[in-house]
Amino acid sequence: MLRATLAFAFALRFGLGLGNGSSALAAPAADTAPSNPFQSAATEDDDAADDTAPAETSGEEEEEEGPGSESLHALTCLDGDATGGRRKGVQRRDFLKRHRFELSGMGGFYASDALSSTYSYGGALSFYPSEDFGLELLVTRSPVQFRLEEPFNAFTKEEHFVPSDAWQAIASMSWSPIHAKFKFTEQTIIHGDLFAVAGAGRTFHDSVMGLTWEAGAGFKLYLTKRLAFRFDVRDFLLPQEVLGRGRITNNVTVLGGLSLWLL
């Protein structure tokens, strides 16, 4: 009887053990790996705090670099304010030409291929529909003569080329792609423009037989709101006949003068 009782108790305990084992095997697996059993709870809390810290910092950085910050940076760049001790961006122009007229008086040196070098003087009226482009009408006068007239006269005893005046009327388009600043002293900085011109017109003289084409470059210094200094170098190409010989000649003119700005 005692043996039968022990056998029944052993069988019952063995059956309960199998049931508990099957339920343990059927339990679902955890989504995350089990934590290190040798790591303390305080260490795990510190790691969790470190994981959340970058998210808070990135949020602050995003607030600092928002759309408003970009606009401020753009305005700073255009105004030319100093950042970190350095200048950046486009500097403001203190002189604007758009929708203004320019009246200039100029004079200088005239060097011709076919005739003697001489002086030239005149004036120009310009209008600027935009800040970089302008329209100009240039009128100049130059006394001209043939450089070999005296040797010819001595040989033939006749006058072949009569000295006279040459007038020019040239319509040009100017382009000012570069705005510059010129430093003369520690306290004096003058703004200016570098420009190029091209155009065509007429040279009124007996030796000229067609249109006059022009190309050149120069610079302007804006001394005040109404007054500017200008320096031009231009080459006038024109068909010219001197003593029965015709050819295309280069006539380089160096002009300097003052400009009065209207409106």
Side-chain angles (χ1 to χ4, degrees):
M1 186 65 179
L2 179 60
R3 292 181 179 179
T5 303
L6 292 175
F8 177 78
F10 180 78
L12 179 62
R13 185 173 182 180
F14 182 77
L16 292 176
L18 289 177
N20 293 336
S22 61
S23 61
L25 292 175
D31 293 338
T32 58
S35 59
N36 188 354
F38 300 100
Q39 187 176 22
S40 63
T43 306
E44 292 179 358
D45 294 339
D46 292 340
D47 292 340
D50 292 339
D51 293 339
T52 57
E56 296 176 359
T57 304
S58 63
E60 294 177 358
E61 293 178 354
E62 291 177 359
E63 291 177 2
E64 293 178 357
E65 300 295 333
S69 178
E70 294 178 359
S71 300
L72 291 177
H73 289 326
L75 291 175
T76 302
C77 180
L78 291 176
D79 291 341
D81 292 339
T83 301
R86 297 177 297 173
R87 289 280 179 180
K88 64 177 183 178
V90 180
Q91 304 297 316
R92 275 184 177 176
R93 298 188 181 190
D94 64 350
F95 190 95
L96 299 178
K97 306 186 298 293
R98 185 171 179 264
H99 293 167
R100 298 183 69 182
F101 287 91
E102 177 189 15
L103 182 62
S104 305
M106 298 179 290
F109 181 74
Y110 183 92
S112 174
D113 284 347
L115 302 176
S116 299
S117 298
T118 182
Y119 61 90
S120 178
Y121 62 91
L125 178 63
S126 306
F127 174 71
Y128 291 86
S130 68
E131 191 63 29
D132 295 333
F133 292 95
L135 304 174
E136 179 187 81
L137 176 61
L138 173 69
V139 177
T140 60
R141 174 186 177 272
S142 304
V144 294
Q145 60 182 0
F146 184 46
R147 66 169 65 96
L148 300 178
E149 182 64 24
E150 292 183 2
F152 269 90
N153 290 346
F155 180 75
T156 62
K157 306 301 181 180
E158 297 179 1
E159 187 176 28
H160 300 275
F161 188 91
V162 178
S164 57
D165 294 334
W167 289 85
Q168 281 185 327
I170 308 295
S172 309
M173 174 176 287
S174 65
W175 178 40
S176 306
I178 300 177
H179 182 78
K181 293 192 299 183
F182 300 89
K183 182 178 180 181
F184 292 93
T185 66
E186 291 296 331
Q187 293 79 22
T188 305
I189 297 178
I190 298 179
H191 289 244
D193 281 330
L194 304 181
F195 66 90
V197 293
R202 288 298 302 266
T203 300
F204 301 97
H205 191 264
D206 294 339
S207 63
V208 180
M209 302 178 298
L211 287 176
T212 299
W213 301 93
E214 171 221 27
F219 69 87
K220 295 177 183 178
L221 298 178
Y222 303 115
L223 306 178
T224 67
K225 296 297 183 181
R226 294 286 184 179
L227 190 65
F229 171 79
R230 63 181 294 171
F231 180 82
D232 299 39
V233 178
R234 309 193 184 202
D235 185 13
F236 299 96
L237 281 74
L238 52 93
Q240 201 165 16
E241 182 180 356
V242 179
L243 300 181
R245 182 185 178 186
R247 59 174 177 156
I248 302 296
T249 61
N250 292 86
N251 302 271
V252 178
T253 306
V254 179
L255 299 172
L258 296 176
S259 297
L260 180 64
W261 290 88
L262 311 174
L263 300 182

